[in-house]
Amino acid sequence: MRPYVIINAAMSADGKISTKEHRQTKISGDQDFARVDRLRADCDAVMVGIGTILADDSSLRLKNPDLIAERTAAGKTEQPMRVVIDSRARMPPDGDMFKKGTGQRVIFVAETAPPDRVAALAEKATVISAGTDKVDLTLVLDKLGEMGVKKLMVEGGATLLWSFTSQKLFDEIRIYVGALIIGGTDAPTFVDGSGFTRAEGFTRLALKNVEKIDDGLLITWHKKEE
Ligand SMILES: NC(=O)C1=CN([C@@H]2O[C@H](COP(=O)(O)OP(=O)(O)OC[C@H]3O[C@@H](n4cnc5c(N)ncnc54)[C@H](O)[C@@H]3O)[C@@H](O)[C@H]2O)C=CC1
Ligand SMILES: Nc1nc(O)c(N)c(N[C@@H]2O[C@H](COP(=O)(O)O)[C@@H](O)[C@H]2O)n1
């Protein structure tokens, strides 16, 4: 069975998730980062696209020791599975995701990924081929389901979130709107990609909750069933 998919990200009041240089930007405050850590702890796997790893060198690990202890007491691994969507196997083998924290790392690549880079990554992670030229997210979700992932958190970035939202491959969106303006036509927004041209294609959402956190707002949407 496919996992329940929660998209979680933070954007500025003008919808940007980082700067025009794609520099990692602190949008959440302490309380929201604690919520993000809690959500990571509650999920079986945490995912980003390779653009995010190359920009941020994300470790994607759970940081709060109390949450790690809570997971192990519940018979789970210390860290949720860490997953990267990486068609061309560009993941740096010396990235923070490999250096920090314990547990399984999974890289989804396309069949056309260069074999030497796939072999180098296979020494550090479980590498799975899914899709011909580009990673196919329906295959990814099916595979993660087979691997026992019931709840998946997808953190970004803008290109991966376009794929998840345009293909309606999610259940919930939790978006933190921070009290700042970043600006810049070239700065990534919550969702980029090619965009819809016709209203019939739009991904529709149902509002579930709004909560003030730090000096911003956490908005929770569910996918609106058509
Ligand atoms: N504020 C926040 O909550 C977050 C911000 N970010 C920011 O997002 C930016 C990175 O976003 P992007 O450059 O858009 O990269 P991304 O992280 O969305 O990765 C996109 C890349 O993934 C690969 N890919 C393979 N199969 C794919 C598929 N089926 N669909 C989509 N992508 C696929 C492609 O190489 C594609 O270029 C960074 O600046 C980062 O700081 C990232 C995560 C969260
Ligand atoms: N929720 C959230 N709020 C922000 O303000 C952010 N900048 C991000 N960024 C995401 O978190 C990843 C970093 O994770 P690690 O600290 O390396 O574990 C980053 O790569 C984005 O995915 N998120």
Side-chain angles (χ1 to χ4, degrees):
M1 213 173 95
R2 281 190 189 168
Y4 186 86
V5 176
I6 302 174
I7 291 173
N8 184 90
M11 68 179 191
S12 58
D14 56 326
K16 308 296 182 187
I17 60 169
S18 73
T19 63
K20 62 182 177 189
E21 301 91 355
H22 286 214
R23 218 178 37 241
Q24 191 177 21
T25 309
K26 191 169 177 287
I27 298 168
S28 302
D30 291 347
Q31 208 187 326
D32 192 56
F33 276 123
R35 178 195 63 81
V36 172
D37 224 23
R38 168 88 260 169
L39 182 57
R40 283 182 179 176
D42 289 343
C43 288
D44 304 302
V46 178
M47 176 189 289
V48 291
I50 185 62
T52 296
I53 294 284
L54 295 176
D56 299 352
D57 194 18
S58 332
S59 75
L60 292 187
R61 76 196 189 287
L62 192 55
K63 298 189 182 77
N64 181 337
D66 294 340
L67 292 177
I68 294 173
E70 197 182 290
R71 277 182 62 94
T72 49
K76 297 179 183 175
T77 53
E78 285 188 354
Q79 298 283 336
M81 179 193 289
R82 291 179 269 174
V83 182
V84 180
I85 303 299
D86 182 13
S87 302
R88 286 176 280 148
R90 291 185 292 157
M91 175 84 197
D94 60 348
D96 264 7
M97 200 183 79
F98 295 128
K99 287 195 286 211
K100 296 181 178 170
T102 58
Q104 191 175 16
R105 284 83 159 169
V106 177
I107 317 290
F108 282 95
V109 298
E111 287 159 23
T112 46
D116 54 333
R117 293 214 291 260
V118 171
L121 284 179
E123 289 180 18
K124 306 262 176 153
T126 306
V127 182
I128 300 173
S129 180
T132 315
D133 296 320
K134 182 177 165 184
V135 174
D136 179 335
L137 296 179
T138 59
L139 297 179
V140 167
L141 292 181
D142 289 342
K143 186 66 194 173
L144 290 176
E146 283 169 25
M147 293 166 85
V149 174
K150 293 189 174 57
K151 205 191 274 189
L152 168 69
M153 176 182 183
V154 182
E155 298 202 19
T159 309
L160 186 65
L161 295 185
W162 164 253
S163 292
F164 269 96
T165 55
S166 59
Q167 294 174 56
K168 281 85 173 159
L169 292 174
F170 68 98
D171 297 281
E172 267 185 56
I173 292 176
R174 299 185 192 180
I175 182 114
Y176 180 75
V177 186
L180 74 167
I181 304 246
I182 295 176
T185 308
D186 295 334
T189 51
F190 171 55
V191 168
D192 285 339
S194 52
F196 296 111
T197 49
R198 296 172 65 83
E200 301 88 80
F202 293 168
T203 299
R204 305 277 175 184
L205 306 173
L207 182 64
K208 288 295 161 189
N209 196 43
V210 179
E211 183 186 353
K212 183 176 181 298
I213 298 183
D214 297 312
D215 53 359
L217 285 182
L218 174 68
I219 306 176
T220 304
W221 310 88
H222 284 195
K223 182 175 64 179
K224 195 163 190 175
E225 297 303 339
E226 321 226 315

